[in-house]
Amino acid sequence: MSRLDIVIFGASGYTGKFVVRELAQISNREKLTWAIAGRSKQKLDQVLNSLSTELGIDLSHIEKIIVDINDEQSVTIMCQKTRLLINCVGPYRFYGEQVVQKCVENKTHHLDVSGEPEYLERIQLKFDEKALENQVFVIGSCGFDSVPADLGVIFTQENFQNDLNSVESFLTFNFGNKSASFNYATWESAVYGFASSKHLGDIRRQIFKTRLPKPKFKLPLRTNKFGYFYDNDLDKYCMDFMGSDKSVVQRTQYFNYNVLNQRPIQYRPYFTISNAFYTFVTILWGLSFSLLAKYKFGRSLLLKYYRFFSFGLASKKETTIDQMKGISFKMLFKGIGFGQKLDNRESESDCQPDQYIITELSGQGSS
C-alpha cells in the first residue's frame, strides 16, 4: 500500500488548524501528499472549506480520516496510511502515548508540539529502543516549546570559536498593542505538567544511565530566594522559564555527548519582565499556581476557574491569524567559554571561562 507523506491528527483543533493552513500552502510546491484526521468528519470538512475560501486553494481532494483516540484500530489504520504523523492532540500525557505506540509499531515517523517534560521523557524511556529498531523518528517539542531554545543553543555552540562552558537564554515577548493571551490547552498542559513533574527524577535515572561529567566551573544560580534577579545588561527583571526548554536542551546535550562525542554545556533558561510590579505579580501567581497544582482539588480549581487563576490570560477562544500579527518574541543567548580548544569531551580547562558570545533568535506570530 502506497503511503501518504503526511497526516495531521487533530486537524480541527486549535494547533491543528494552523498546521493544516501551513501545509496547504506548501504541499503543491513540495509535491507532498497529505490528509487530515480527527473525530468529527463535519469539523474536518469545516477546516478544509474555511481554508479553501481563505487561501483560494481547492482542498476538496484532501482525504479525511476519522479517528477516535480510544479506538485502537482506528489509530492503527491512521498510522498505516502515512510515512509521517503530525500529532496535534493534547494534552499529550493523556492522549499521546497510544499514538506514539502505534506509530512505532507501524514504522511511521511521529512529530508533535508537546511542551510536557514528563511525557516527552516517558515516551523516550518506553519507545526509544523499539523506534531505533524500526528506524522510526519520534520527535517532540516541535513548536515554540522548544525549537527556539534547542536550535539557539546549538547555533551558539557552533559559532563559538573554542569550547563553551555554559549558555543562558532570555526570552522576551512583545505583544505590541495586543493583549497578552494563550490558549486553554496550554494552561491545561501546564497544570498537569507541574503535577507530574515529581515523576521526572525516576524517569531520568532510567534514561540517563551514564551521567554527564560534572563541570569544573559550574553555572551559578542567579535567582534570589524570591525567584528573580535584575539583569543590568538587559535592564529587565528575569525569572526561571518553567517550560520544557531546559529538559529538551539537556536531552540534546546528553545525546551529543554519548552519540556524537561532543562536550556538553550547562544551560539555564529565563524569561524577562519589564518592571518590578509585574515581577511581584508573577511571584504571587507562581506561588498560588504551584501550591494548587500539587493537589487534585487544586487542579480542578485551576482548570474550572482558569480565567481567574490566569489573570484572564488563558482563553478557549481561538486565536486568528490577524490577531497574531504584530506579536513577536526574542530569545537572547549569552554563552561563556574558554580561550582555547579543549582536547576532548572530558577535558577541563585550568582557567576560568572568560570568553563571551551573544546570539539572538527572533520570530513573529504571523507574516
Side-chain angles (χ1 to χ4, degrees), residues 33-34 44 139 242 311:
T33 58
W34 60 286
L44 295 177
I139 308 174
M242 302 306 292
F311 298 128

Side-chain angles (χ1 to χ4, degrees), residues 19-268:
V19 178
V20 175
R21 186 179 187 275
E22 293 301 315
L23 186 55
Q25 294 180 91
I26 68 168
S27 57
N28 286 338
R29 184 182 73 229
E30 301 296 334
K31 296 181 173 57
L32 297 172
T33 58
W34 60 286
I36 61 175
R39 288 182 299 175
S40 169
K41 182 179 182 300
Q42 181 182 2
K43 290 183 178 180
L44 295 177
D45 283 333
Q46 289 173 353
V47 170
L48 293 180
N49 292 337
S50 175
L51 286 174
S52 292
T53 302
E54 177 193 345
L55 302 174
I57 301 173
D58 181 13
L59 300 175
S60 60
H61 64 286
I62 299 299
E63 181 181 358
K64 296 170 285 290
I65 306 169
I66 309 306
V67 181
D68 185 338
I69 194 70
N70 297 310
D71 182 348
E72 186 174 322
Q73 184 178 5
S74 70
V75 176
T76 298
I77 292 172
M78 173 181 66
C79 295
Q80 291 173 341
K81 282 178 173 286
T82 183
R83 296 193 298 121
L84 168 65
L85 183 75
I86 301 179
N87 185 3
C88 301
V89 179
Y92 292 94
R93 70 187 69 259
F94 298 135
Y95 306 119
E97 183 174 328
Q98 54 267 54
V99 180
V100 173
Q101 180 179 348
K102 293 306 175 184
C103 278
V104 172
E105 289 176 357
N106 291 282
K107 299 184 179 181
T108 298
H109 303 303
H110 178 280
L111 184 152
D112 66 46
V113 292
S114 171
E116 307 163 37
E118 188 272 339
Y119 161 79
L120 293 164
E121 297 185 26
R122 171 163 48 87
I123 291 301
Q124 180 178 346
L125 177 63
K126 288 190 174 185
F127 298 108
D128 182 63
E129 186 175 329
K130 186 65 176 178
L132 183 63
E133 178 184 329
N134 285 352
Q135 297 183 313
V136 170
F137 288 108
V138 179
I139 308 174
S141 297
C142 293
F144 184 76
D145 288 336
S146 293
V147 170
D150 206 21
L151 293 187
V153 169
I154 292 172
F155 178 82
T156 305
Q157 285 182 279
E158 290 179 346
N159 284 272
F160 188 72
Q161 186 175 359
N162 298 307
D163 281 310
L164 273 179
N165 182 63
S166 61
V167 174
E168 296 173 310
S169 65
F170 300 84
L171 172 64
T172 302
F173 289 105
N174 181 1
F175 292 93
N177 59 359
K178 310 287 180 63
S179 298
S181 66
F182 53 86
N183 188 259
Y184 173 80
T186 301
W187 176 260
E188 186 180 20
S189 294
V191 170
Y192 287 115
F194 188 91
S196 64
S197 61
K198 60 186 177 183
H199 303 300
L200 277 170
D202 181 59
I203 293 173
R204 286 171 177 170
R205 281 189 289 271
Q206 296 179 72
I207 295 176
F208 308 126
K209 294 179 180 179
T210 303
R211 304 290 292 180
L212 293 177
K214 288 187 177 181
K216 183 176 181 179
F217 302 101
K218 192 172 181 179
L219 178 63
L221 180 66
R222 299 179 66 181
T223 52
N224 58 28
K225 62 181 180 180
F226 299 107
Y228 76 92
F229 67 95
Y230 186 80
D231 189 282
N232 290 314
D233 293 332
L234 297 176
D235 193 24
K236 293 181 183 295
Y237 293 88
C238 304
M239 299 185 72
D240 290 316
F241 182 65
M242 302 306 292
S244 61
D245 287 357
K246 188 173 182 179
S247 167
V248 171
V249 169
Q250 285 181 329
R251 288 165 62 211
T252 297
Q253 293 297 314
Y254 187 88
F255 177 86
N256 290 347
Y257 174 79
N258 282 286
V259 179
L260 303 182
N261 201 37
Q262 295 179 2
R263 189 177 189 276
I265 59 100
Q266 304 167 77
Y267 173 65
R268 188 165 285 129

